[in-house]
PDB file of all heavy atoms in Angstrom:
ATOM      1  N   PRO A 230      21.810   8.459  14.602  1.00 95.00           N
ATOM      2  CA  PRO A 230      21.279   9.499  15.496  1.00 95.00           C
ATOM      3  C   PRO A 230      20.880  10.743  14.716  1.00 95.00           C
ATOM      4  O   PRO A 230      21.579  11.172  13.798  1.00 95.00           O
ATOM      5  CB  PRO A 230      22.447   9.777  16.440  1.00 95.00           C
ATOM      6  CG  PRO A 230      23.666   9.353  15.705  1.00 95.00           C
ATOM      7  CD  PRO A 230      23.252   8.288  14.738  1.00 95.00           C
ATOM      8  N   PHE A 231      19.739  11.321  15.091  1.00 95.00           N
ATOM      9  CA  PHE A 231      19.280  12.536  14.434  1.00 95.00           C
ATOM     10  C   PHE A 231      20.251  13.690  14.643  1.00 95.00           C
ATOM     11  O   PHE A 231      20.342  14.584  13.811  1.00 95.00           O
ATOM     12  CB  PHE A 231      17.882  12.917  14.918  1.00 95.00           C
ATOM     13  CG  PHE A 231      16.827  11.901  14.580  1.00 95.00           C
ATOM     14  CD1 PHE A 231      15.880  11.543  15.512  1.00 95.00           C
ATOM     15  CD2 PHE A 231      16.772  11.300  13.328  1.00 95.00           C
ATOM     16  CE1 PHE A 231      14.893  10.620  15.208  1.00 95.00           C
ATOM     17  CE2 PHE A 231      15.796  10.376  12.999  1.00 95.00           C
ATOM     18  CZ  PHE A 231      14.855  10.034  13.949  1.00 95.00           C
ATOM     19  N   SER A 232      20.995  13.682  15.728  1.00 92.00           N
ATOM     20  CA  SER A 232      21.969  14.747  15.975  1.00 92.00           C
ATOM     21  C   SER A 232      23.088  14.743  14.932  1.00 92.00           C
ATOM     22  O   SER A 232      23.619  15.790  14.581  1.00 92.00           O
ATOM     23  CB  SER A 232      22.563  14.619  17.376  1.00 92.00           C
ATOM     24  OG  SER A 232      23.226  13.370  17.505  1.00 92.00           O
ATOM     25  N   GLU A 233      23.441  13.569  14.421  1.00 91.00           N
ATOM     26  CA  GLU A 233      24.489  13.447  13.404  1.00 91.00           C
ATOM     27  C   GLU A 233      23.923  13.491  11.983  1.00 91.00           C
ATOM     28  O   GLU A 233      24.635  13.835  11.045  1.00 91.00           O
ATOM     29  CB  GLU A 233      25.262  12.137  13.596  1.00 91.00           C
ATOM     30  CG  GLU A 233      26.015  12.040  14.895  1.00 91.00           C
ATOM     31  CD  GLU A 233      27.233  12.945  14.946  1.00 91.00           C
ATOM     32  OE1 GLU A 233      27.790  13.296  13.882  1.00 91.00           O
ATOM     33  OE2 GLU A 233      27.634  13.317  16.069  1.00 91.00           O
ATOM     34  N   PHE A 234      22.661  13.105  11.818  1.00 93.00           N
ATOM     35  CA  PHE A 234      22.013  13.012  10.510  1.00 93.00           C
ATOM     36  C   PHE A 234      20.670  13.738  10.571  1.00 93.00           C
ATOM     37  O   PHE A 234      19.605  13.116  10.550  1.00 93.00           O
ATOM     38  CB  PHE A 234      21.841  11.538  10.119  1.00 93.00           C
ATOM     39  CG  PHE A 234      23.154  10.788  10.070  1.00 93.00           C
ATOM     40  CD1 PHE A 234      23.618  10.099  11.188  1.00 93.00           C
ATOM     41  CD2 PHE A 234      23.936  10.804   8.927  1.00 93.00           C
ATOM     42  CE1 PHE A 234      24.833   9.428  11.157  1.00 93.00           C
ATOM     43  CE2 PHE A 234      25.160  10.133   8.890  1.00 93.00           C
ATOM     44  CZ  PHE A 234      25.607   9.450  10.006  1.00 93.00           C
ATOM     45  N   PRO A 235      20.713  15.085  10.669  1.00 92.00           N
ATOM     46  CA  PRO A 235      19.496  15.863  10.948  1.00 92.00           C
ATOM     47  C   PRO A 235      18.433  15.806   9.856  1.00 92.00           C
ATOM     48  O   PRO A 235      17.266  16.069  10.131  1.00 92.00           O
ATOM     49  CB  PRO A 235      20.021  17.285  11.127  1.00 92.00           C
ATOM     50  CG  PRO A 235      21.329  17.312  10.411  1.00 92.00           C
ATOM     51  CD  PRO A 235      21.894  15.930  10.543  1.00 92.00           C
ATOM     52  N   TRP A 236      18.787  15.457   8.637  1.00 90.00           N
ATOM     53  CA  TRP A 236      17.779  15.429   7.566  1.00 90.00           C
ATOM     54  C   TRP A 236      16.754  14.328   7.758  1.00 90.00           C
ATOM     55  O   TRP A 236      15.727  14.310   7.090  1.00 90.00           O
ATOM     56  CB  TRP A 236      18.439  15.328   6.189  1.00 90.00           C
ATOM     57  CG  TRP A 236      19.511  14.309   6.103  1.00 90.00           C
ATOM     58  CD1 TRP A 236      19.370  12.989   5.811  1.00 90.00           C
ATOM     59  CD2 TRP A 236      20.907  14.516   6.316  1.00 90.00           C
ATOM     60  NE1 TRP A 236      20.587  12.363   5.845  1.00 90.00           N
ATOM     61  CE2 TRP A 236      21.548  13.279   6.151  1.00 90.00           C
ATOM     62  CE3 TRP A 236      21.664  15.643   6.647  1.00 90.00           C
ATOM     63  CZ2 TRP A 236      22.921  13.126   6.290  1.00 90.00           C
ATOM     64  CZ3 TRP A 236      23.028  15.468   6.781  1.00 90.00           C
ATOM     65  CH2 TRP A 236      23.640  14.226   6.614  1.00 90.00           C
ATOM     66  N   PHE A 237      16.988  13.393   8.687  1.00 96.00           N
ATOM     67  CA  PHE A 237      16.015  12.339   8.977  1.00 96.00           C
ATOM     68  C   PHE A 237      15.044  12.731  10.096  1.00 96.00           C
ATOM     69  O   PHE A 237      14.045  12.066  10.306  1.00 96.00           O
ATOM     70  CB  PHE A 237      16.726  11.046   9.391  1.00 96.00           C
ATOM     71  CG  PHE A 237      17.502  10.405   8.279  1.00 96.00           C
ATOM     72  CD1 PHE A 237      18.879  10.300   8.350  1.00 96.00           C
ATOM     73  CD2 PHE A 237      16.862   9.893   7.161  1.00 96.00           C
ATOM     74  CE1 PHE A 237      19.602   9.687   7.334  1.00 96.00           C
ATOM     75  CE2 PHE A 237      17.568   9.285   6.138  1.00 96.00           C
ATOM     76  CZ  PHE A 237      18.949   9.191   6.222  1.00 96.00           C
ATOM     77  N   ARG A 238      15.328  13.795  10.828  1.00 95.00           N
ATOM     78  CA  ARG A 238      14.562  14.156  12.024  1.00 95.00           C
ATOM     79  C   ARG A 238      13.067  14.340  11.750  1.00 95.00           C
ATOM     80  O   ARG A 238      12.240  13.905  12.523  1.00 95.00           O
ATOM     81  CB  ARG A 238      15.132  15.424  12.661  1.00 95.00           C
ATOM     82  CG  ARG A 238      14.480  15.785  13.978  1.00 95.00           C
ATOM     83  CD  ARG A 238      15.056  17.054  14.596  1.00 95.00           C
ATOM     84  NE  ARG A 238      16.497  17.037  14.731  1.00 95.00           N
ATOM     85  CZ  ARG A 238      17.169  16.467  15.737  1.00 95.00           C
ATOM     86  NH1 ARG A 238      16.514  15.835  16.689  1.00 95.00           N
ATOM     87  NH2 ARG A 238      18.478  16.525  15.795  1.00 95.00           N
ATOM     88  N   GLN A 239      12.693  14.967  10.664  1.00 95.00           N
ATOM     89  CA  GLN A 239      11.285  15.232  10.369  1.00 95.00           C
ATOM     90  C   GLN A 239      10.667  14.184   9.431  1.00 95.00           C
ATOM     91  O   GLN A 239       9.527  14.344   9.010  1.00 95.00           O
ATOM     92  CB  GLN A 239      11.132  16.630   9.755  1.00 95.00           C
ATOM     93  CG  GLN A 239      11.595  17.747  10.666  1.00 95.00           C
ATOM     94  CD  GLN A 239      10.854  17.775  11.991  1.00 95.00           C
ATOM     95  OE1 GLN A 239       9.652  17.600  12.042  1.00 95.00           O
ATOM     96  NE2 GLN A 239      11.585  17.973  13.080  1.00 95.00           N
ATOM     97  N   ALA A 240      11.395  13.140   9.109  1.00 97.00           N
ATOM     98  CA  ALA A 240      10.897  12.107   8.192  1.00 97.00           C
ATOM     99  C   ALA A 240       9.803  11.277   8.851  1.00 97.00           C
ATOM    100  O   ALA A 240       9.801  11.082  10.069  1.00 97.00           O
ATOM    101  CB  ALA A 240      12.039  11.197   7.757  1.00 97.00           C
ATOM    102  N   THR A 241       8.888  10.784   8.040  1.00 97.00           N
ATOM    103  CA  THR A 241       7.853   9.885   8.543  1.00 97.00           C
ATOM    104  C   THR A 241       8.431   8.478   8.693  1.00 97.00           C
ATOM    105  O   THR A 241       9.506   8.176   8.150  1.00 97.00           O
ATOM    106  CB  THR A 241       6.659   9.829   7.574  1.00 97.00           C
ATOM    107  OG1 THR A 241       7.095   9.225   6.346  1.00 97.00           O
ATOM    108  CG2 THR A 241       6.078  11.209   7.318  1.00 97.00           C
ATOM    109  N   VAL A 242       7.703   7.624   9.391  1.00 97.00           N
ATOM    110  CA  VAL A 242       8.125   6.223   9.537  1.00 97.00           C
ATOM    111  C   VAL A 242       8.243   5.590   8.156  1.00 97.00           C
ATOM    112  O   VAL A 242       9.211   4.882   7.862  1.00 97.00           O
ATOM    113  CB  VAL A 242       7.138   5.444  10.431  1.00 97.00           C
ATOM    114  CG1 VAL A 242       7.438   3.956  10.412  1.00 97.00           C
ATOM    115  CG2 VAL A 242       7.171   5.988  11.855  1.00 97.00           C
ATOM    116  N   ASP A 243       7.277   5.845   7.293  1.00 98.00           N
ATOM    117  CA  ASP A 243       7.293   5.288   5.947  1.00 98.00           C
ATOM    118  C   ASP A 243       8.530   5.741   5.180  1.00 98.00           C
ATOM    119  O   ASP A 243       9.176   4.945   4.490  1.00 98.00           O
ATOM    120  CB  ASP A 243       6.013   5.683   5.201  1.00 98.00           C
ATOM    121  CG  ASP A 243       5.887   4.997   3.863  1.00 98.00           C
ATOM    122  OD1 ASP A 243       5.995   3.748   3.820  1.00 98.00           O
ATOM    123  OD2 ASP A 243       5.677   5.701   2.852  1.00 98.00           O
ATOM    124  N   GLN A 244       8.887   7.014   5.298  1.00 98.00           N
ATOM    125  CA  GLN A 244      10.065   7.531   4.613  1.00 98.00           C
ATOM    126  C   GLN A 244      11.350   6.912   5.147  1.00 98.00           C
ATOM    127  O   GLN A 244      12.263   6.598   4.373  1.00 98.00           O
ATOM    128  CB  GLN A 244      10.130   9.053   4.739  1.00 98.00           C
ATOM    129  CG  GLN A 244       9.066   9.772   3.954  1.00 98.00           C
ATOM    130  CD  GLN A 244       8.994  11.242   4.276  1.00 98.00           C
ATOM    131  OE1 GLN A 244       9.228  11.663   5.424  1.00 98.00           O
ATOM    132  NE2 GLN A 244       8.691  12.053   3.282  1.00 98.00           N
TER     133      GLN A 244
END
Side-chain angles (χ1 to χ4, degrees):
F231 297 137
S232 60
E233 296 288 335
F234 302 93
W236 46 87
F237 292 115
R238 186 180 307 277
Q239 299 301 318
T241 66
V242 171
D243 187 53
Q244 290 170 326

